[in-house]
């Protein structure tokens, strides 16, 4: 189930929020602590009006909420609201004392037993544990203890490494006897657990419009892009590893592609600090293949059983697939880069090229061009790196300050550095290079789509190719490696 957490201050606007998301959600969490004080008096009508199963949550500050009331007063207010309405669940923090759930009456009669009243009304109790900083060591026993009392354990904790993420995914197996449980990894490392909530063993995942908890995604993204609620035991898991990785556009290629060919699969971003630990996760949840981005393109090499010629030459791998019990590494940056200029090379329109940069991407570019008999010259801020790459690829190198000398001779200029990338859209590493001869200009930067360099080159009559084209091409090739099918041509990808 996808559960929308309301983030509004009034019931009316919270209902509008539910309406906006209705197509993507199965249930709602009404956050009483976020409502204005005077709204609480009518909060009991909310479940009937929104017509979806609703959790009542009155979150205190220490657990990431806004309520500053004492537990006693908070529980008294929560009781008044919940017992008058049609709530399906009520969330009570795991450490709220029994005595605070025995609610005092005005008269001298025995106190109300809130837990018992909830049970009699058929409202399920979620006992929640939050750790906004880390993963506590007693996770499994904590969840078991709550479940033994007949309540639904909710464990919302913060993984700080991929090893922590492995622990969260292990909860599915370790706690498989607990049918109803909620497990959430918060923060950037936890994003994959929010998407793959079913693989973690969680009965639901929370979504919000305003990222009320760290790492939370929108309901629309979970439902339409990831189809997170469709994941089942037969779903093949794919992903991308990197650090950082959450800005990646690759899910926009693979998930719609899987959907279009009716392939039961999902593609998820995994923030990874240690590649070794990620391979453990890949075994645990049977990941079928994954893309690799900065800084892990070299780090994955020791774990691969098989690599292609390009991976060997470039010394970097951006695509890993599980083939007959081993991991195979390929490099689709190589072919993705070539794809838009292949015809021009074969027609003899591109015989010489200037590459700016000597990092990971430049390595793939230099080898691709050299293998296609294009004469390459490499310029880089750190000259020693240009020199090294040039000697490996049997190319030439030149000081960045002297590239002007090539402006009337090269057929292709490839910009492979981060210069010009958003938010530094105003930078142009080739500022002094004039396009006196119309040539091909290829910028690997894909945000913005057209860099200052490309705009200038286009105005000078050059043929320009942007980084999005390469990104999409290399992604389509990865899709083929993952699925064995061509990327469906009818899917329009907007990167
Ligand atoms: P990398 O290995 O870190 O290399 C970075 C390169 O940029 C190095 O040559 C570095 O020079 C240079 N550089 C960095 N800051 C600079 C500055 N301020 N002035 C001049 N040069 C600077 O990174 P990478 O993996 O090669 O990626 C580079 C770019 O390509 C990124 O923008 C990435 O998004 C893009 N890319 C795009 C695609 C695609 O499909 N479109 C695929 C891969 C990469 P030094 O050696 O002097 O540090």
């Amino acid at each position: 189930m996808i559960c929308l957490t309301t983030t509004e201050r009034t019931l009316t606007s919270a209902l509008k929020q539910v309406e906006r998301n209705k197509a993507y959600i199965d249930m709602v969490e009404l956050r009483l602590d976020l409502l204005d004080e005077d709204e609480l008096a009518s909060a009991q009508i909310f479940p009937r009006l929104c017509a979806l199963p609703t959790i009542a949550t009155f979150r205190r500050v220490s657990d990431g909420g806004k309520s500053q009331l004492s537990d006693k007063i908070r529980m008294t207010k929560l009781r008044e609201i919940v017992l008058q309405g049609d709530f399906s669940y009520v969330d009570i923090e795991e450490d709220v004392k029994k005595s605070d759930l025995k609610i005092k009456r005005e008269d001298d009669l025995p106190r109300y037993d809130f837990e018992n009243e909830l049970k009699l009304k058929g409202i399920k109790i979620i006992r929640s544990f939050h750790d906004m900083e880390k993963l506590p060591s007693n996770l499994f026993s904590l969840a078991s203890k709550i479940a033994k009392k007949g309540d639904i354990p909710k464990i919302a904790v913060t993984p700080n490494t991929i090893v922590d993420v492995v622990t969260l995914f292990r909860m599915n197996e370790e706690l498989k006897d607990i049918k109803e449980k909620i497990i959430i990894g918060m923060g950037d490392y936890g994003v994959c657990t929010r998407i793959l909530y079913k693989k973690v063993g969680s009965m639901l995942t929370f979504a919000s419009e305003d990222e009320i908890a760290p790492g939370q995604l929108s309901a629309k993204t979970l439902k339409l892009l990831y189809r997170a609620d469709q994941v089942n035991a037969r779903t093949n898991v794919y992903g991308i590893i990197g650090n950082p990785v959450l800005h990646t556009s690759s899910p926009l290629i693979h998930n719609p592609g899987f959907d279009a060919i009716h392939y039961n699969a999902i593609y998820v971003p995994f923030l990874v600090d240690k590649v070794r630990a990620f391979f453990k996760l890949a075994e645990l949840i049977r990941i079928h293949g994954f893309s690799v981005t900065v800084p892990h393109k070299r780090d994955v090499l020791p774990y691969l059983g098989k690599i292609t010629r390009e991976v060997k030459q470039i010394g970097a791998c951006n695509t890993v697939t599980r083939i007959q019990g081993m991991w195979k590494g390929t490099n689709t940056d190589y072919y993705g880069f070539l794809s838009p200029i292949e015809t021009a090379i074969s027609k003899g329109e591109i015989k010489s090229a200037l590459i700016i940069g000597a990092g990971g991407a430049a390595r793939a570019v230099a080898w691709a061009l050299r293998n296609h008999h294009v004469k390459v010259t490499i310029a880089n801020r750190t000259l020693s790196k240009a020199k090294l790459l040039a000697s490996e690829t049997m190319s030439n190198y030149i000081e960045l300050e002297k590239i002007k000398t090539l402006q009337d001779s090269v057929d292709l200029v490839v910009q492979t550095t981060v210069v010009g990338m958003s938010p530094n859209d105003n930078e142009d590493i080739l500022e002094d290079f004039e396009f006196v001869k119309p040539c091909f200009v290829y910028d690997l930067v894909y945000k913005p789509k057209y860099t200052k360099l490309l705009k200038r080159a286009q105005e000078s009559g050059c043929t320009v190719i942007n980084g999005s084209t390469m990104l999409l091409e290399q992604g389509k090739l990865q899709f083929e490696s993952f699925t064995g099918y061509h990327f469906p041509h009818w899917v329009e990808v907007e990167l």
Side-chain angles (χ1 to χ4, degrees):
M1 291 184 286
I2 297 176
C3 179
L4 179 77
T5 299
T6 64
T7 52
E8 297 287 348
R9 290 173 56 185
T10 67
L11 292 164
T12 311
S13 42
L15 279 169
K16 284 188 185 149
Q17 196 169 45
V18 172
E19 280 310 314
R20 282 197 296 277
N21 287 278
K22 211 148 198 179
Y24 321 125
I25 60 176
D26 308 289
M27 57 189 295
V28 179
E29 178 189 42
L30 176 63
R31 283 288 296 272
L32 297 163
D33 56 299
L34 302 181
L35 291 177
D36 290 341
E37 177 75 31
D38 53 356
E39 293 285 306
L40 292 180
S42 11
Q44 76 280 359
I45 57 170
F46 186 84
R48 213 169 315 136
L49 295 181
C50 83
L52 281 171
T54 306
I55 306 173
T57 300
F58 206 153
R59 187 68 71 228
R60 60 191 180 192
V61 172
S62 58
D63 288 54
K66 287 258 167 71
S67 174
Q68 303 203 350
L69 300 171
S70 70
D71 280 357
K72 211 177 259 314
I73 298 175
R74 203 164 51 94
M75 288 305 115
T76 305
K77 284 186 182 276
L78 184 61
R79 176 184 173 277
E80 278 164 16
I81 296 164
V82 170
L83 293 182
Q84 288 178 52
D86 293 330
F87 289 91
S88 306
Y89 303 88
V90 61
D91 181 312
I92 300 173
E93 293 80 359
E94 163 277 330
D95 62 349
V96 169
K97 291 195 211 82
K98 270 249 173 259
S99 56
D100 289 333
L101 294 167
K102 300 276 191 250
I103 314 273
K104 197 171 165 7
R105 295 203 207 189
E106 295 300 310
D107 47 41
D108 276 344
L109 291 167
R111 289 168 182 255
Y112 294 117
D113 182 340
F114 185 27
E115 280 182 291
N116 204 33
E117 287 177 302
L118 288 169
K119 277 176 191 153
L120 288 174
K121 211 166 178 260
I123 300 172
K124 292 190 178 182
I125 303 174
I126 297 168
R127 290 304 290 247
S128 58
F129 172 85
H130 297 85
D131 192 324
M132 314 302 285
E133 283 168 11
K134 60 177 189 323
L135 237 60
S137 54
N138 62 339
L139 273 187
F140 298 163
S141 58
L142 190 67
S144 302
K145 199 175 93 191
I146 296 169
K148 267 200 192 106
K149 287 189 195 148
D151 297 337
I152 299 172
K154 174 184 169 187
I155 308 288
V157 290
T158 309
N160 291 308
T161 62
I162 196 73
V163 171
D164 287 346
V165 172
V166 173
T167 305
L168 287 178
F169 276 100
R170 275 184 48 220
M171 292 187 89
N172 187 28
E173 182 58 26
E174 298 281 341
L175 304 175
K176 65 171 179 288
D177 295 336
I178 307 173
K179 292 287 170 256
E180 286 190 307
K181 56 186 177 294
I182 302 169
I183 298 161
I184 298 145
M186 293 186 287
D188 290 352
Y189 278 97
V191 166
C192 58
T193 67
R194 290 182 181 276
I195 300 170
L196 291 171
Y197 69 99
K198 290 194 170 182
K199 296 270 176 198
V200 183
S202 185
M203 61 189 262
L204 61 85
T205 189
F206 290 99
S208 74
E209 281 187 335
D210 311 308
E211 200 183 315
I212 189 76
Q216 222 169 45
L217 301 162
S218 76
K220 188 175 178 183
T221 301
L222 284 167
K223 178 88 178 179
L224 297 188
L225 176 60
Y226 291 107
R227 291 173 295 129
D229 55 333
Q230 303 296 309
V231 169
N232 57 32
R234 291 180 307 282
T235 303
N236 289 344
V237 179
Y238 296 88
I240 175 163
I241 68 166
N243 191 357
V245 75
L246 300 180
H247 63 284
T248 178
S249 307
S250 297
L252 301 173
I253 302 173
H254 296 285
N255 288 309
F258 294 156
D259 192 24
I261 64 164
H262 305 293
Y263 180 44
N264 183 359
I266 183 168
Y267 182 95
V268 179
F270 292 95
L271 179 61
V272 169
D273 52 344
K274 298 250 164 33
V275 163
R276 187 182 148 90
F278 176 76
F279 275 94
K280 290 223 158 71
L281 178 65
E283 290 307 331
L284 181 70
I285 60 172
R286 292 285 307 164
I287 290 176
H288 277 64
F290 55 95
S291 316
V292 187
T293 187
V294 179
H296 299 314
K297 288 184 183 182
R298 270 181 182 292
D299 304 345
V300 294
L301 296 180
Y303 304 93
L304 306 177
K306 211 173 167 196
I307 55 171
T308 57
R309 180 187 73 139
E310 295 78 45
V311 171
K312 198 167 178 192
Q313 282 185 328
I314 301 162
C317 159
N318 81 330
T319 311
V320 178
T321 40
R322 189 191 281 278
I323 290 178
Q324 289 160 353
M326 72 161 85
W327 295 109
K328 181 184 174 190
T330 53
N331 194 312
T332 65
D333 280 341
Y334 178 101
Y335 293 103
F337 163 73
L338 274 178
S339 175
I341 53 172
E342 232 164 357
T343 313
I345 293 176
S346 63
K347 280 190 188 162
E349 291 166 12
I350 297 175
K351 291 199 184 101
S352 63
L354 167 65
I355 300 176
I356 311 296
R363 296 187 66 79
V365 169
W367 278 107
L369 292 173
R370 177 214 171 272
N371 287 347
H372 286 75
H373 312 293
V374 176
K375 184 170 164 286
V376 171
T377 304
I378 302 163
N380 188 45
R381 179 178 62 177
T382 311
L383 187 65
S384 57
K385 289 195 201 161
K387 219 167 167 176
L388 187 68
L389 182 57
S391 82
E392 281 177 40
T393 55
M394 284 154 278
S395 308
N396 301 317
Y397 66 92
I398 189 172
E399 283 88 350
L400 207 44
E401 299 72 34
K402 294 189 184 155
I403 54 175
K404 211 171 166 16
T405 57
L406 300 175
Q407 68 188 18
D408 51 8
S409 60
V410 286
D411 303 323
L412 166 71
V413 176
V414 191
Q415 197 301 109
T416 74
T417 77
V418 294
V419 180
M421 191 162 88
S422 193
N424 303 317
D425 305 29
N426 250 334
E427 293 177 356
D428 175 357
I429 196 167
L430 285 136
E431 214 160 38
D432 300 328
F433 188 100
E434 285 169 50
F435 296 104
V436 285
K437 169 195 158 196
C439 60
F440 290 83
V441 181
Y442 200 147
D443 196 336
L444 265 54
V445 167
Y446 48 84
K447 266 186 194 143
K449 204 164 184 173
Y450 287 92
T451 55
K452 190 175 175 193
L453 164 68
L454 285 191
K455 286 182 193 155
R456 187 165 65 85
Q458 198 158 32
E459 281 162 16
S460 306
C462 297
T463 306
V464 302
I465 303 144
N466 61 22
S468 302
T469 308
M470 170 171 166
L471 188 68
L472 183 57
E473 287 305 320
Q474 65 80 29
K476 286 178 175 177
L477 293 166
Q478 283 183 336
F479 185 89
E480 280 182 30
S481 296
F482 293 157
T483 64
Y485 289 94
H486 287 307
F487 188 82
H489 61 84
W490 61 93
V491 174
E492 273 184 38
V493 181
E494 190 53 49
L495 293 177

